[in-house]
Amino acid sequence: MKKIIALVLWASCGVASAQTPQDLLTDGKNTENVTTFGMGYDLKMYSPLKQINKSNIKRLVPVWTFSLSNDMGELSQPTVYDGVMYVVNGNWTYAIDLATGRQIWRTPVTYDRASLRVTTSGAYIRGAATIYNGKLFRQNVDAYVQALDMKTGKEIWREKFGEWKESYGGIVAPAIVNGVLISGMAGGDRTARGFIEGYDPDTGKRLWRTWTIPEPGQKGSETWPNKDMPDAWKYGGGATWQPGSYDPQLDLFYIGTGNPEPYNPKYRAGMDSLFASSLLAIRPKTGEMVWYYQFTPNDTFDFDGTAESILADVQIDGKPRKVLFNVNKNGFVYVIDRTDGKLIAAHQFMRQNWAKYIDLKTGKPVLTDLLDRALKGETVDMSPARATNATLSAYNPKTGVLFLNSWEAIRVMKFIDQPLVVGGGYTGIETSYKNPTDIAPGYTIAMNPLTGKEMWKVPQQEFAISAGTLATDGGLLFTGKLTGEFIALDQDNGKQLWQFKTGSSVNAPPITYTYKGKQYVTVLSGRGGSNPTRSAGNVVPAGGTVYTFALMPE
């Protein structure tokens, strides 16, 4: 009798069965599941759902909330499969019953607490709970990648990918791509040498590792001063700390890389420093780099190239093109042919003072005198400090409109001497931040990415937005504020139509899905990450919560 009761209770929890590659490939089409980060491999952050729309958004209300027992920040996207929601953060992994919001299981993350010094702002996860074939995959802050059983939360395998004492950290969710678990790393403001690597998801065996900073003799090594500074490449940066996108037809995985180390170009002889601040197209089965595009050669401003790339098929000059859109931290939106990495267009989307424009022939920025002034010892006001703050943009393929959140902060910086201490900070600058006085701290922007034409621009007066965006066929754009409001805007004009005040900052990308035919919207709330904490930490409390919304009956 006890066994029968146990089986009945187990079945009632709705724990998911195994997924297949097809479940991942069709994400965004089967609205009952959200199985990949970005609402699909193309990272469009777009949903065809329209039960919740501009005419009824005022009836959107919370139907359940769930405490995540975490005060280090909620930056990840929930995953939904077969009636179960999976949530990851730096300290826990959860399975939640989608119908009731009740916990099915939770598993604590065990890590060396001293490793928190690598991330400086705590343990957190960017991306989503990665699921495949009955397993849930995640990273831990002390440089491990881990597989859990989706039914029980018990650990299946755990593999170490770096030494946290050498600056390696785990803050980015891995991805399943063509049957391979692809995982990145953090440590880009310290002494790490970046890489991207592939694992067998069943066993945890590492299949390949592709370094983002080449050793002498490898392709790209000519862009490092290997003769005069023979150790520069060993601590060269190029971290892979944000999620990538995937084109299954081309079988290419697109991943961005972070800044070279240190920012101060003196220690890199002012060379281009491949493959830092670049976009890499990787063959998932082998790790082969098929092509690359460097956004900011000799990146001295911490612009990185890690912002996620949105994949789209569009018409350009009357011809179909497979492109990607990259909303870059340097203040430009790039349009790149994703088959070969050729630059098609680059449009400035906010105020900046480091580049005159991006040369479409060379693909490189044409610089202003800002860098020269800094190299002469001047303290300079550089903008943007970060044009985006790891905020996932949204693209509506029906209208061709790109939606993004900008940060207008200014970085005050001065180059300084930087001794190499393995495992320590390695930037080579003194820096502080300030907001401009004549414009808002940030904006939500709608634009045509092919032409750069701005459709509308809404100022965010108190703090810039650090949350992702979600566009739906209901004409809505969902995003959130550091002050805790989860909001819905009209895609046509940016007018705010609805808001709900959560208990902490909204830093995460929202999702929408159906359960038994009814549309829901879910977002995580919880201040975390260095920039949100620096901006709003004095006025907004920490604390993680899942909020799930649906329409109140008429």
Side-chain angles (χ1 to χ4, degrees), residues 27-28 30-35 39 46-52 63-64 77-86 96-101 470 472 478 510-523 546-550:
D27 195 21
N30 178 359
T31 61
E32 294 280 304
N33 299 328
V34 179
T35 57
M39 301 292 293
Y46 162 81
S47 171
L49 291 174
K50 53 187 176 183
Q51 289 180 17
I52 302 169
V63 293
W64 58 260
Q77 171 203 292
T79 298
V80 173
Y81 187 79
D82 199 18
V84 179
M85 179 178 293
Y86 300 92
I96 305 167
D97 182 14
L98 205 61
T100 64
L470 169 67
T472 74
F478 290 95
I511 61 170
T512 188
Y513 51 92
T514 56
Y515 179 66
K516 296 183 178 179
K518 185 174 182 178
Q519 184 179 358
Y520 294 83
V521 179
T522 296
V523 72
V546 182
Y547 289 87
T548 292
F549 302 85

Side-chain angles (χ1 to χ4, degrees), residues 181-498:
L181 184 72
I182 296 184
S183 186
M185 43 68 68
D189 294 330
R190 302 173 72 85
T191 61
R193 178 191 176 202
F195 59 78
I196 187 78
E197 58 187 2
Y199 290 84
D200 182 329
D202 290 328
T203 65
K205 178 184 178 181
R206 184 188 298 156
L207 304 176
W208 51 262
R209 173 177 285 185
T210 299
W211 294 95
T212 61
I213 306 299
E215 65 182 66
Q218 293 182 337
K219 179 181 178 180
S221 62
E222 68 280 1
T223 66
W224 287 84
N226 293 321
K227 292 183 179 180
D228 298 330
M229 302 176 186
D231 290 337
W233 64 275
K234 296 180 181 179
Y235 312 100
T240 49
W241 58 273
Q242 286 185 242
S245 49
Y246 175 59
D247 184 331
Q249 292 181 332
L250 298 175
D251 193 30
L252 290 176
F253 180 70
Y254 306 96
I255 185 73
T257 65
N259 55 272
E261 296 169 7
Y263 309 167
N264 188 338
K266 169 184 175 180
Y267 299 92
R268 296 177 284 106
M271 300 181 74
D272 282 359
S273 305
L274 289 172
F275 295 95
S277 299
S278 299
L279 179 65
L280 312 181
I282 300 290
R283 198 69 75 191
K285 287 291 189 182
T286 64
E288 174 196 0
M289 187 190 304
V290 177
W291 59 257
Y292 73 90
Y293 175 82
Q294 189 171 44
F295 296 106
T296 313
N298 185 28
D299 182 2
T300 59
F301 302 124
D302 186 29
F303 284 145
D304 294 351
T306 52
E308 302 93 342
S309 293
I310 299 169
L311 311 187
D313 295 341
V314 299
Q315 292 282 326
I316 298 179
D317 297 329
K319 297 180 180 179
R321 297 287 295 272
K322 292 182 178 296
V323 305
L324 59 82
F325 305 125
N326 187 281
V327 182
N328 203 269
K329 280 177 67 178
N330 65 18
F332 289 86
V333 170
Y334 290 79
V335 184
I336 295 173
D337 188 316
R338 70 177 186 268
T339 67
D340 57 16
K342 301 299 182 185
L343 180 64
I344 297 171
H347 308 291
Q348 181 177 322
F349 67 89
M350 62 177 296
R351 189 161 71 179
Q352 57 83 25
N353 66 355
W354 70 278
K356 298 176 182 177
Y357 57 90
I358 307 298
D359 188 321
L360 297 184
K361 292 184 179 180
T362 65
K364 295 184 177 183
V366 177
L367 302 181
T368 65
D369 67 347
L370 188 74
L371 178 57
D372 287 339
R373 288 162 44 206
L375 290 172
K376 292 175 182 177
E378 184 178 337
T379 300
V380 298
D381 285 1
M382 188 273 296
S383 68
R386 69 195 69 81
T388 63
N389 185 42
T391 55
L392 190 57
S393 302
Y395 176 73
N396 187 327
K398 290 188 175 180
T399 63
V401 178
L402 178 71
F403 304 94
L404 59 98
N405 288 314
S406 73
W407 280 60
E408 299 286 344
I410 297 167
R411 183 196 290 268
V412 182
M413 59 176 287
K414 179 181 176 65
F415 290 132
I416 60 172
D417 289 338
Q418 178 71 68
L420 172 65
V421 178
V422 175
Y426 198 45
T427 63
I429 65 168
E430 288 180 345
T431 188
S432 61
Y433 300 91
K434 62 183 181 182
N435 285 326
T437 57
D438 58 335
I439 57 176
Y443 293 85
T444 301
I445 301 170
M447 67 178 293
N448 182 326
L450 298 179
T451 65
K453 181 181 178 182
E454 196 174 273
M455 320 301 286
W456 50 259
K457 184 176 183 179
V458 175
Q460 304 296 338
Q461 296 293 357
E462 193 167 359
F463 300 108
I465 284 180
S466 190
T469 54
L470 169 67
T472 74
D473 252 10
L476 299 169
L477 181 72
F478 290 95
T479 190
K481 297 183 178 183
L482 289 184
T483 44
E485 292 82 7
F486 183 45
I487 63 176
L489 307 180
D490 188 325
Q491 287 186 40
D492 292 333
N493 53 33
K495 179 182 177 182
Q496 184 171 309
L497 303 177
W498 172 89

Side-chain angles (χ1 to χ4, degrees), residues 95 128 141 149 187 205 428:
V141 68
D149 187 302
K205 178 184 178 181

